[in-house]
């Protein structure tokens, strides 16, 4: 009798996992959705950083630097990997792949690991801005 209850419980657990896997597979976001969300987040980050660095906006404008072009170029490198129940977008930076986005249940999450690298690069911009003036 106890074995039957254990088997029923195990069967229900497997059924729930199978349904969850099917729902996850059906809601995996497209690569376009990954690019859209990553573009929005990178734009926010660049705007935030440029607005906090004194003189950065003037340097960007005087040198005709297109920050949106930078974002588009970064996103053209976005390589998608499918893991059946989710997918991830990777960008190569300094000969290393970094996970930029994770798609799960119809949502795209931007990974902070890569964003931190971009923030550090923007901080270096502050250090070297005198060279551009």
């Amino acid at each position: 009798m106890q074995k039957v209850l254990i088997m029923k419980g195990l069967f229900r657990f497997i059924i729930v996992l199978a349904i969850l896997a099917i729902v996850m597979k059906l809601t995996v976001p497209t690569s376009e959705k990954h690019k859209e969300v990553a573009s929005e987040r990178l734009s926010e980050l660049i705007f935030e950083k440029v607005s906090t660095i004194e003189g950065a906006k003037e340097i960007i404008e005087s040198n005709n630097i297109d920050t949106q072009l930078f974002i588009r170029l970064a996103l053209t490198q976005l390589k998608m990997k499918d893991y059946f129940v989710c997918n991830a977008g990777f960008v190569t930076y300094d000969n290393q792949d970094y996970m930029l986005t994770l798609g799960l249940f119809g949502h795209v999450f931007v990974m902070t690991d890569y964003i931190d690298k971009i923030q550090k690069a923007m901080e270096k911009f502050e250090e070297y801005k005198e060279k551009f003036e």
Side-chain angles (χ1 to χ4, degrees):
M1 183 67 163
Q2 191 171 10
K3 282 186 178 183
V4 172
L5 288 176
I6 291 173
M7 293 302 286
K8 280 185 178 180
L10 182 60
F11 181 72
R12 287 182 183 152
F13 179 72
I14 291 171
I15 293 295
V16 168
L17 280 181
I19 291 171
L20 182 63
I22 290 169
V23 169
M24 290 175 77
K25 179 60 179 171
L26 293 174
T27 60
V28 170
T30 63
S31 61
E32 288 77 25
K33 176 82 173 179
H34 280 261
K35 288 179 181 180
E36 176 187 321
V37 171
S39 176
E40 288 172 10
R41 181 64 183 112
L42 290 173
S43 294
E44 289 170 8
L45 176 70
I46 289 172
F47 178 76
E48 176 185 306
K49 283 298 177 183
V50 165
S51 65
T52 61
I53 298 172
E54 185 181 326
K57 186 176 181 182
E58 291 79 19
I59 293 168
I60 288 171
E61 288 173 358
S62 66
N63 289 292
N64 293 324
I65 298 171
D66 185 356
T67 55
Q68 291 301 313
L69 177 63
F70 163 75
I71 292 168
R72 286 191 302 273
L73 288 173
L75 295 179
T76 58
Q77 293 184 39
L78 194 66
K79 297 177 216 145
M80 298 302 299
K81 292 186 182 178
D82 188 19
Y83 298 107
F84 186 73
V85 295
C86 67
N87 57 8
F90 291 86
V91 177
T92 303
Y93 172 76
D94 202 19
N95 293 326
Q96 195 169 8
D97 284 342
Y98 293 94
M99 186 188 310
L100 177 61
T101 57
L102 174 68
L104 192 63
F105 289 113
H107 297 284
V108 176
F109 303 95
V110 179
M111 302 289 99
T112 57
D113 225 15
Y114 186 71
I115 298 298
D116 290 343
K117 295 273 184 196
I118 293 172
Q119 285 178 327
K120 287 178 185 170
M122 292 299 285
E123 288 166 8
K124 285 190 183 223
F125 178 77
E126 167 71 19
E127 294 172 18
Y128 298 115
K129 75 176 185 180
E130 291 85 28
K131 292 181 182 181
F132 294 105
E133 292 179 336

